[in-house]
Amino acid sequence: MKTKNKDIGENIMETKEVIINDIVYVPKHETVERDGMKYCIVRTYSAGVFAGYVESREGKEAVIRDARRIWYWEGAASLSQLAMSGTSKPENCKFPEPMDKVTVTEAIEIIECSEQAMKSIQGVKIWKQ
């Protein structure tokens, strides 16, 4: 895919990775923000995993807006991969409907998501029983 570089005005090729001397380099993923809140995956100690915009964090307490519980996923080896690439198997994921706001009291990991991952997570069909 060709894109225009705003700074120098020339066409460049976007690539997912570059290999130099047998070392794989992956381009940095830009995080997504809305009203100053970053879209993240938040892993908690006992309440599970959520994806959404982190409104605030104080100690282990985090407030997440537009939050989806990541109840079950396939198509990513880890939450880190899910946060960078999203899922390659959205049809197998179980993400319930988004909640406007959730407060978690034992947030132990907060991973900023790329735009690609956010679109992938938000694109998973709502799982209901």
Side-chain angles (χ1 to χ4, degrees), residues 3-5 9 14 21-22 40 67 77 87 113 120-121 123 128:
T3 60
K4 186 158 179 128
N5 185 312
E14 281 187 24
N21 295 330
D22 296 325
C40 300
T87 174
C113 290
S120 175
I121 291 165
K128 293 184 179 184

Side-chain angles (χ1 to χ4, degrees), residues 4 34 40 43 49 60 64-65 67 71 78 106 111:
K4 186 158 179 128
R34 181 178 79 187
C40 300
R43 183 168 66 98
V49 177
K60 289 185 181 179
I64 310 163
R65 304 303 301 247
W71 193 82
S78 65
E106 291 292 325
I111 310 168

Side-chain angles (χ1 to χ4, degrees), residues 7-129:
D7 297 327
I8 57 177
E10 64 186 35
N11 286 331
I12 58 173
M13 289 295 289
E14 281 187 24
T15 182
K16 290 194 173 203
E17 61 184 38
V18 175
I19 301 172
I20 302 172
N21 295 330
D22 296 325
I23 299 172
V24 178
Y25 295 89
V26 179
K28 180 182 175 192
H29 293 276
E30 295 297 319
T31 58
V32 180
E33 289 190 25
R34 181 178 79 187
D35 299 328
M37 300 179 289
K38 291 186 178 183
Y39 193 86
C40 300
I41 291 176
V42 179
R43 183 168 66 98
T44 70
Y45 179 73
S46 58
V49 177
F50 297 84
Y53 294 94
V54 176
E55 180 179 76
S56 65
R57 176 177 175 221
E58 190 171 322
K60 289 185 181 179
E61 183 172 292
V63 177
I64 310 163
R65 304 303 301 247
D66 196 20
R68 288 192 83 177
R69 188 181 300 268
I70 307 297
W71 193 82
Y72 174 84
W73 81 90
E74 282 188 25
S78 65
L79 291 176
S80 301
Q81 184 182 3
L82 189 62
M84 291 297 95
S85 304
T87 174
S88 63
K89 297 181 179 181
E91 67 281 357
N92 295 345
C93 293
K94 295 180 179 180
F95 303 169
E97 62 190 305
M99 298 171 282
D100 177 56
K101 181 177 178 179
V102 64
T103 301
V104 295
T105 58
E106 291 292 325
I108 58 174
E109 183 176 28
I110 298 176
I111 310 168
E112 294 179 6
C113 290
S114 70
E115 184 175 5
Q116 175 184 340
M118 179 200 70
K119 288 179 179 178
S120 175
I121 291 165
Q122 291 179 341
V124 170
K125 184 180 173 184
I126 293 174
W127 174 63
K128 293 184 179 184
Q129 283 195 352

